[in-house]
Amino acid sequence: MTLTQEQATWFARTFAQISDNVERAILGKRHVVELVLTAMLSDGHVLLEDVPGTGKTSLARAMAQSVQGTNTRIQFTPDLLPGDITGITVYDQKAGQFEFHAGPVFANIVLADEINRASPKTQSALLEVMEEGRVTIDGVTRPVGVPFLVLATQNPVEQAGTYRLPEAQLDRFMMRASLGYPDHASTVRILDGAAVATEELSPIITPQALVGMADLANDVYVDALVLDYIARLVDATRSADEVRLGVSIRGALALTHAARTRAASQGRTYATPDDVKSLAVPVLSHRLILHPEAEFDGVTQEAVVGQVLLDIAPPSRREAV
């Protein structure tokens, strides 16, 4: 099916209403709010790299409140076990059978706080659920439900006692973003008490309706020339001199899916090269592994993707549409 203009208009209006609602609690961070919502509607997850105290927990709660969903928070520590995330089966002596106790991963929005402080074994407990939306415990597979978003955080400054996220884990995050500090005007408003408490936010949409929005985004038309543009961008990351390992096919699919959602959020029934360009850095940069020499010279993953966007010419708007 192809998305109709009427559906695209409704999608854009609802997307804006959800973003406006969340921004009442997270002042001055419209761009990040829209990125997180785009990832949620694209069946993706977000890694927030930020220093403490920038509103990451409030963002997760505000998002859950706006979509009338459930949210949980997992504080990752070195002694956290996989069962603490997914849940465990406990033998009930009275009933004479094993009973499953669901872990905090069974929620619509899961905040994985300081994910890099847990051991790789514990981090791997999220691999299956992030990819397939389900967990397997004692041979029994259980879906966590929809919508489902993992919003993980890590402190890019304090690295003592942390475990680097493996590439397989990073590749399962659709986007990497940073809230950062609010600007001066937003800071003054926050100090003046203008930010609304997340508990006071009114729900904008139900989880079921949000799943319907995600289905509509899948119907956005993507021209073959736009798909070719995405493929050329991905190929360019693999051949860049500074890069040891380029973007995977999962990364290319994520960029395509996110571009569809962004197009619908703009009220369009088709994706354009501008949709791809606006999302390339948050979707692709964290998937790159740079050569040590390039890192030593101060080259960043974001800079490599930015250069690729400059080097690879997009198709013209007339051709793509």
Side-chain angles (χ1 to χ4, degrees):
M1 293 180 62
T2 302
L3 188 69
T4 66
Q5 185 56 56
E6 183 180 1
Q7 290 172 325
T9 302
W10 174 83
F11 189 108
R13 183 172 63 250
T14 307
F15 188 96
Q17 289 173 346
I18 298 172
S19 300
D20 290 341
N21 202 50
V22 174
E23 201 180 12
R24 293 174 61 201
I26 311 295
L27 299 180
K29 296 298 175 184
R30 178 71 174 217
H31 178 63
V32 180
V33 169
E34 290 183 347
L35 283 180
V36 173
L37 184 54
T38 297
M40 193 175 189
L41 290 167
S42 306
D43 195 26
H45 310 285
V46 181
L47 176 64
L48 291 177
E49 282 194 345
D50 232 327
V51 295
T54 52
K56 299 181 290 291
T57 302
S58 296
L59 173 60
R61 289 176 177 171
M63 192 68 70
Q65 191 79 2
S66 297
V67 302
Q68 209 170 349
T70 57
N71 79 287
T72 55
R73 180 178 180 271
I74 308 171
Q75 182 63 53
F76 279 67
T77 56
D79 60 347
L80 192 72
L81 298 176
D84 297 329
I85 298 173
T86 60
I88 57 174
T89 52
V90 179
Y91 185 72
D92 187 339
Q93 291 184 338
K94 291 183 178 180
Q97 61 184 10
F98 284 95
E99 184 179 284
F100 176 66
H101 290 217
V105 77
F106 287 84
N108 296 124
I109 297 180
V110 178
L111 178 65
D113 209 4
E114 294 190 295
I115 187 174
N116 56 334
R117 292 204 175 275
S119 67
K121 179 180 180 180
T122 301
Q123 291 176 13
S124 66
L126 288 173
L127 290 177
E128 180 187 14
V129 70
M130 289 176 64
E131 184 70 16
E132 303 174 24
R134 63 186 187 182
V135 294
T136 303
I137 302 168
D138 295 336
V140 179
T141 299
R142 295 178 173 85
V144 295
V146 289
F148 177 67
L149 169 72
V150 173
L151 194 61
T153 73
Q154 63 177 357
N155 186 344
V157 178
E158 178 55 60
Q159 296 296 321
T162 64
Y163 300 86
R164 180 179 178 181
L165 292 180
E167 283 68 37
Q169 184 91 45
L170 285 171
D171 204 32
R172 279 168 169 78
F173 286 102
M174 173 173 275
M175 299 182 190
R176 180 177 66 182
S178 173
L179 273 171
Y181 295 119
D183 57 30
H184 178 76
S186 298
T187 300
V188 173
R189 292 179 62 202
I190 292 171
L191 296 177
D192 195 38
V196 176
T198 54
E199 296 80 7
E200 298 176 10
L201 294 179
S202 301
I204 300 299
I205 194 172
T206 64
Q208 294 76 17
L210 192 76
V211 173
M213 286 184 68
D215 291 338
L216 288 178
N218 286 328
D219 294 333
V220 169
Y221 174 72
V222 183
D223 191 86
L225 288 172
V226 177
L227 295 176
D228 177 73
Y229 179 51
I230 293 173
R232 287 187 289 122
L233 289 175
V234 169
D235 288 340
T237 67
R238 298 168 184 166
S239 59
D241 294 336
E242 305 90 346
V243 177
R244 183 160 57 93
L245 184 65
V247 175
S248 67
I249 188 64
R250 184 189 283 123
L253 287 168
L255 184 55
T256 305
H257 203 162
R260 280 191 167 101
T261 302
R262 185 184 185 278
S265 73
Q266 302 296 308
R268 284 184 277 104
T269 61
Y270 55 89
T272 68
D274 286 340
D275 294 322
V276 176
K277 292 170 69 175
S278 67
L279 293 166
V281 171
V283 173
L284 302 183
S285 62
H286 64 286
R287 305 174 193 270
L288 303 180
I289 300 178
L290 303 181
H291 286 295
E293 297 84 1
E295 291 184 294
F296 183 78
D297 291 338
V299 177
T300 64
Q301 297 160 316
E302 290 80 3
V304 172
V305 175
Q307 187 60 49
V308 166
L309 289 172
L310 292 175
D311 294 341
I312 305 301
S316 69
R317 185 179 298 275
R318 179 182 61 79
E319 291 176 323
V321 176

